[in-house]
Amino acid sequence: MGKAWVFGANVTTEDILPNRFLDHKNEEMGQFAMAGLDPDFVKKISIGDVVVGGANFGTGSSRETAPIALQLAGISAVVAPSFGRVFFRNCINIGLPAVMVETVEGIQQGDVLNVDLKNLTVFNTRTGVSLLITNLTGISLEILQAGGIIAYTKQRKGISHD
């Protein structure tokens, strides 16, 4: 559960993590999340907040550091009607829920959202509206529940998480 930070449609991986920050170590990427659209984004958010995007969120390059930046900044999920294919896969692989809902209309900046992967819903506490998550089934959901592709693979192989 976290506060919604609403962005528009066609947000690119360059918007999420601008090229000028790619020479930093992966663990430093969080401080630059969403800097292409809001340079002060990470100063305003709290751990567990949720990014809400319009259609085609995460389009553009296959920049795997874009979802890493969001996760390291403390974002708990990304909600949008659709995602760039590679961005979606990169989110799932690192254990960052990228959840599709039919529409994000009605979600306002600052609304508190509960992203419930067990019941596959996004509940807006301000409006009382519950949106059905339409994209998380099968292996994608299993990978998320394990904490990402590495944890999932270790789990499947019976390897300790140490």
Side-chain angles (χ1 to χ4, degrees):
M1 189 177 300
K3 189 172 14 171
W5 294 90
V6 180
F7 295 91
N10 301 309
V11 171
T12 68
T13 54
E14 174 69 16
D15 296 326
I16 298 166
L17 183 67
N19 188 48
R20 66 186 178 274
F21 301 119
L22 294 180
D23 61 348
H24 292 268
K25 295 177 184 173
N26 270 5
E27 54 272 7
E28 298 173 345
M29 294 296 174
Q31 64 187 312
F32 309 116
M34 301 308 293
L37 296 175
D38 181 354
D40 295 322
F41 177 73
V42 295
K43 295 175 185 171
K44 298 186 265 185
I45 64 171
S46 297
I47 301 294
D49 283 353
V50 177
V51 167
V52 177
N56 209 24
F57 189 90
T59 189
S61 75
S62 58
R63 187 172 300 176
E64 66 186 20
T65 48
I68 290 170
L70 292 172
Q71 187 178 55
L72 289 175
I75 296 301
S76 65
V78 182
V79 177
S82 62
F83 292 98
R85 184 182 55 81
V86 175
F87 177 84
F88 169 75
R89 195 77 244 158
N90 286 335
C91 285
I92 299 303
N93 286 343
I94 65 167
L96 177 64
V99 301
M100 285 175 37
V101 294
E102 189 173 313
T103 182
V104 293
E105 298 241 353
I107 299 176
Q108 296 178 4
Q109 185 90 2
D111 284 356
V112 176
L113 303 179
N114 181 17
V115 178
D116 182 348
L117 296 182
K118 182 178 179 189
N119 295 306
L120 295 177
T121 58
V122 176
F123 179 73
N124 186 327
T125 63
R126 179 185 62 83
T127 64
V129 172
S130 189
L131 303 169
L132 182 64
I133 294 172
T134 62
N135 67 323
L136 295 180
T137 60
I139 191 91
S140 293
L141 187 55
E142 290 178 33
I143 291 169
L144 276 177
Q145 290 169 333
I149 192 69
I150 294 172
Y152 174 79
T153 302
K154 286 180 177 181
Q155 187 179 72
R156 300 273 299 177
K157 297 281 187 185
I159 300 170
S160 169
H161 292 294
D162 301 73

